[in-house]
Amino acid sequence: MDGRGRLCKVTRSATEILLRLKIPQNMDGYRRAPPPAAAAASAASVLGDDDLLREIFIRLGFPNCLVRAALVSQRWLLNASDPAFLRRFRERNPPRVLGVCAGYSVRPFKFVPLPQPPELAALSRRAASSCAYAFARGGQRIEHCRNGRLIVESLRKGTFKHSVLAPLLYGEPEAVLPPIPPPRRHPQELTQGSFTQIFLPEDGGREGITLVNLWKVQREVRAEVYVLGAAGWGVPTTAITEIELQYAATFFAKMLPPVHGKVFVVTGFGYTLGLDLATATFVMLQLPAGVRYNYMLSSAEGSGIYLVTVDRFQLSVWLHRMAGDNHGAGGWLLVDTFSVLEACARLAGDSWVPCEYLNVAAVGDNADFVFLDHPSSGVIFYVHLSSRVVKMVYQRTADEHECRSVAVRISPVMTIWPPIFPALNIGHDQEGIVRAVRSLDRR
C-alpha cells in the first residue's frame, strides 16, 4: 500500500468510528447504513467539530497512530499536538514498553521484545533491528535509557567511547560524545567506592546530558557534575561537594537513574544518598524498615518518589511525597504489597529452581511496572503493578549458563513521549503528505 492508500485508510478509520456513534435502525431493530450522501454529510459535520475530533483522537490508543492522524491536514495536526490534549491523551494512553535491552557484565546487550498489539509491531521490529546492529559491534554497556534513546559505552580500538542511539527514530544518526573527564581526585587518596555515569535528561532529549563523578574517602562523599554543551564537557558546573556520612563503613552498591533531577546511591545501611544534579547538594533519604539493597526508585506525580522492593517473593510499593524537608522514614506510605511466587513458578515451568530470591532489575515511572530477575532459574519477569499481571519475558539461553550468578542489567525501551510530529506545510501539497507518511512507515 502506497502513501496515498495509507492516508485514506487513516481517514476512513476515523469516519467509521463516527458513523458507529449513531446508526439509524429499521422497524425490526436491525441497523441499516445511511445513504452515501447523508453519511458523508454526517462525517463532515463531526470532523469539522474540533471537540469531537479530539474525542476521536484520544481513542486512537497509541502515539504513532496519533502522528499518522495528524498528517491528514493542518487542522488535524494542530488538534493532535495541542499541549492540553496531549496531557489528556497520556493519562488515557500512557507510554508502552516495547521491550528491554538486557545484558550482563560478561555478555553484550541484546534487545528482548515484549508482545505488542499490531499497531506497535513495526516500532518493536525497528527497535530490535537498530539495537541488534549497534550491539553487534561488541563491548556494549548501556549507561542510561530514557524515552526511546540510549547512552551506550563501547570498546573501540582499545578505547571506551560513549554514544547516543535513537533506535525508534528513523534516520537519526549515532551521536558520539566527547571523551569523559576523569574525576579530579587526589592520587594519594584511598577511595572506597567510586562511580562515573552518564545520564540522559528527564525528557530523554539530547540537550542536557549529564556526567556524574562520585567517590568516597573515609566518611566524605565528593561529587562533580558536568553538563554537556556545545564546547564539550568543559569544567564542572559546580565545585566538589562534601558530606559526612553516618557510618564510615558505608558501602556504595550502585547508582540509580535520576528521579526528579536527583541521582540516588544504594548504601545498604537503611538510607539512600541523593545528589541534586542542579545544585550538587546531598540529601540522606531514610528507607522503609527492612529495605536495604534490593530496590529501585521511580518518579511520582509532583515531586514524589516511588520505591519498589522485593523481600523473597513479596513485592511492595512505597510512596514518599518528598514535601518540604521531610526526608525521614516516616514519610513513606505503603501503597501496595503482594506475592509473585505462584505466578513466577507457574510461568517458569520446568526452568523453575526453588530459590527465595528475586532481583529488582528496573522500574517504570509512576511505579507502572517492574522487571524482576530470578537468577537461579535464569528468567526475567515483567509485572504490571496496578493490575498485578505477571509475564515471563526472557529465558536465558544455554550459552548464558555462566551468567546465572551475575545480576542482569535491564533497560526498558519505551514509546517516545511526547510524540514527534513532522513539520508539514499542509495545504494542497498532497505529495508532501504522502512523503511524510512514507517517511513515517520507514521509522
Side-chain angles (χ1 to χ4, degrees):
M1 183 182 296
D2 62 11
R4 292 179 193 272
R6 294 184 184 277
L7 180 63
C8 293
K9 185 177 179 180
V10 171
T11 309
R12 284 199 305 272
S13 299
T15 304
E16 289 166 0
I17 293 173
L18 291 168
L19 292 178
R20 291 193 190 105
L21 297 178
K22 186 175 182 181
I23 298 178
Q25 297 179 341
N26 60 20
M27 294 292 290
D28 297 324
Y30 293 104
R31 295 176 182 267
R32 56 182 174 82
S42 175
S45 64
V46 176
L47 292 174
D49 187 319
D50 287 349
D51 292 335
L52 288 177
L53 188 62
R54 286 191 290 268
E55 291 304 314
I56 296 172
F57 284 170
I58 206 168
R59 288 163 172 78
L60 292 177
F62 305 99
N64 54 321
C65 296
L66 185 63
V67 173
R68 283 183 178 276
L71 294 173
V72 171
S73 70
Q74 185 72 36
R75 188 168 65 83
W76 285 34
L77 173 62
L78 292 175
N79 277 280
S81 59
D82 177 70
F85 167 76
L86 287 176
R87 286 192 293 270
R88 289 185 58 214
F89 190 94
R90 192 182 192 282
E91 290 174 0
R92 184 183 177 107
N93 311 292
R96 301 282 291 263
V97 187
L98 295 174
V100 296
C101 294
Y104 313 90
S105 59
V106 294
R107 292 276 179 172
F109 276 79
K110 64 173 66 174
F111 180 80
V112 180
L114 271 65
Q116 300 297 338
E119 295 87 348
L120 295 179
L123 274 180
S124 181
R125 289 193 299 269
R126 185 185 314 146
S129 175
S130 299
C131 289
Y133 173 77
F135 299 155
R137 287 177 287 181
Q140 305 285 347
R141 187 174 77 94
I142 296 178
E143 290 277 340
H144 191 211
C145 179
R146 184 76 181 175
N147 205 24
R149 283 190 171 89
L150 302 87
I151 295 182
V152 177
E153 179 187 76
S154 59
L155 182 61
R156 301 181 187 178
K157 297 181 180 180
T159 303
F160 284 102
K161 296 185 178 181
H162 297 84
S163 55
V164 179
L165 306 178
L168 301 181
L169 297 177
Y170 177 80
E172 181 169 318
E174 174 183 353
V176 179
L177 303 183
I180 61 174
R184 300 189 304 174
R185 55 179 182 237
H186 196 279
Q188 302 301 320
E189 290 180 336
L190 180 62
T191 60
Q192 291 80 38
S194 62
F195 294 95
T196 295
Q197 292 193 222
I198 308 174
F199 299 107
L200 291 159
E202 300 258 344
D203 63 359
R206 298 171 66 175
E207 302 295 329
I209 293 175
T210 303
L211 167 68
V212 178
N213 286 326
L214 184 144
W215 65 96
K216 174 176 173 286
V217 179
Q218 297 298 325
R219 301 174 77 102
E220 293 180 340
V221 180
R222 307 176 187 181
E224 299 170 334
V225 180
Y226 296 79
V227 177
L228 184 62
W233 296 111
V235 297
T237 55
T238 58
I240 294 177
T241 307
E242 300 181 0
I243 187 170
E244 187 169 316
L245 294 174
Q246 186 175 357
Y247 307 99
T250 296
F251 172 73
F252 290 168
K254 57 184 174 181
M255 181 183 290
L256 304 178
V259 177
H260 293 311
K262 298 181 179 67
V263 293
F264 290 88
V265 182
V266 177
T267 68
F269 273 86
Y271 71 92
T272 179
L273 184 66
L275 171 66
D276 189 305
L277 297 178
T279 62
T281 56
F282 286 97
V283 58
M284 289 187 181
L285 178 62
Q286 296 295 320
L287 301 178
V291 177
R292 289 293 182 265
Y293 293 107
N294 194 18
Y295 66 89
M296 294 287 286
L297 303 174
S298 78
S299 60
E301 297 297 332
S303 60
I305 294 178
Y306 281 107
L307 181 148
V308 181
T309 185
V310 176
D311 183 7
R312 296 185 178 179
F313 292 97
Q314 190 70 20
L315 194 152
S316 300
V317 182
W318 299 80
L319 173 63
H320 199 303
R321 295 295 182 185
M322 298 293 288
D325 295 326
N326 180 16
H327 299 141
W332 290 103
L333 172 67
L334 181 64
V335 295
D336 197 10
T337 182
F338 58 96
S339 174
V340 295
L341 173 58
E342 181 180 350
C344 291
R346 172 175 48 82
L347 292 169
D350 294 340
S351 300
W352 184 252
V353 176
C355 177
E356 295 184 345
Y357 191 78
L358 280 168
N359 288 318
V360 180
V363 64
D365 288 345
N366 295 305
D368 182 49
F369 61 84
V370 61
F371 284 92
L372 304 174
D373 178 34
H374 191 243
S376 300
S377 301
V379 176
I380 298 173
F381 299 96
Y382 166 87
V383 184
H384 187 262
L385 290 168
S386 61
S387 65
R388 300 190 178 185
V389 171
V390 182
K391 298 179 181 179
M392 187 178 81
V393 298
Y394 186 63
Q395 169 71 62
R396 293 180 215 186
T397 59
D399 63 339
E400 293 172 337
H401 179 76
E402 73 274 15
C403 300
R404 294 201 174 197
S405 60
V406 180
V408 68
R409 294 172 63 94
I410 292 288
S411 296
V413 179
M414 310 285 296
T415 52
I416 296 174
W417 189 264
I420 299 176
F421 294 97
L424 300 177
N425 182 16
I426 298 179
H428 300 289
D429 185 10
Q430 186 69 23
E431 290 303 318
I433 300 175
V434 172
R435 286 194 298 272
V437 174
R438 287 175 175 167
S439 175
L440 187 64
D441 289 339
R442 292 194 297 268
R443 289 182 178 179

